[in-house]
Amino acid sequence: MAIDFNNAEAQREGGLIPEGTVAPVHMTVRPGNAGEGGWLKRSKSGDSMALDVEFTIVEGPFAKRKFWGLFTLEGTTDGHQKAADISASRLRAILESARGIRPDDESEPAKAGRRMNSWGDFDGLRFIAKIGIEKAKEGSGFKDKNSLDAAITPDRKAWVKVEQIKPQATPVAGFTSVGVAAAAVAEKAGVKKPQWAN
């Protein structure tokens, strides 16, 4: 049997996307079967939960390249609470970028645009991202990696409107049994929602 690779794309070298690159990205939530709806991921120690996401660049010289992020949302320590506050700020900026809301807009439509029905509503959002480089800890054996440095909001010159392409996300299949158990574990472990999530 002949196998023909003539129509395959030419190989692209890896390496990091340059720091400061601005590009439209597609956000995909990677459900971890924890938290409401099963959209969150529990830490290995079980004392915090986060939104685990993949960002795919949708156009430009780095189209189809991916990088990842983990937004801590709930936890048991002061450090988790600080991380949750940082995550809330970043997720707010993602919403503002995706929905064309200026950070200083306090109108009722703007406030409504910053509300979500579920963590799954972030799945499929597209926004303008500024890409950074996260340095690996010395001696960890890991390499530096790309990360989300900032979501570009409409008050910045680099912002452009990005077309949203998908309807709202659906709940994670099979959450009912596993998710309820995970929620019980979280309650037992004392995992607390940050104030802004109530």
Side-chain angles (χ1 to χ4, degrees):
M1 174 178 81
I3 302 172
D4 187 353
F5 289 97
N6 283 297
N7 293 326
E9 286 185 21
Q11 174 180 269
R12 292 192 293 180
E13 288 192 36
L16 294 171
I17 300 163
E19 189 166 18
T21 296
V22 173
V25 298
H26 182 95
M27 182 174 180
T28 302
V29 176
R30 304 191 300 176
N33 240 356
E36 190 174 332
W39 289 103
L40 303 184
K41 180 178 181 178
R42 186 170 302 287
S43 65
K44 287 181 183 177
S45 60
D47 60 356
S48 67
M49 290 192 288
L51 193 66
D52 184 10
V53 299
E54 175 184 271
F55 300 107
T56 305
I57 298 176
V58 297
E59 62 184 50
F62 301 103
K64 298 183 182 177
R65 292 281 301 273
K66 298 176 186 286
F67 58 100
W68 293 266
L70 195 64
F71 298 95
T72 299
L73 299 169
E74 302 177 18
T76 59
T77 69
D78 288 343
H80 291 141
Q81 296 306 308
K82 287 175 186 173
D85 290 342
I86 293 167
S87 293
S89 295
R90 185 61 52 88
L91 292 169
R92 170 183 166 146
I94 288 170
L95 283 177
E96 290 171 341
S97 179
R99 295 179 171 178
I101 304 168
R102 291 180 60 91
D104 60 354
D105 188 346
E106 292 298 324
S107 67
E108 288 308 314
K111 288 179 180 179
R114 294 188 192 103
R115 294 187 186 107
M116 305 295 274
N117 294 317
S118 154
W119 294 118
D121 290 350
F122 282 98
D123 189 49
L125 276 186
R126 289 187 169 194
F127 66 96
I128 303 297
K130 181 181 176 187
I131 299 162
I133 294 175
E134 185 179 316
K135 297 288 185 186
K137 290 181 181 175
E138 195 172 328
S140 68
F142 293 104
K143 294 181 178 179
D144 296 350
K145 62 182 181 179
N146 284 120
S147 61
L148 178 65
D149 185 43
I152 303 297
T153 49
D155 56 320
R156 299 186 179 187
K157 288 181 182 177
W159 182 82
V160 292
K161 186 175 181 179
V162 179
E163 183 182 357
Q164 302 301 318
I165 61 162
K166 69 169 284 295
Q168 295 299 312
T170 55
V172 179
F175 169 71
T176 309
S177 56
V178 179
V180 170
V185 170
E187 191 174 334
K188 198 171 187 180
V191 176
K192 297 179 280 184
K193 281 188 181 180
Q195 177 122 13
W196 54 261
N198 291 326

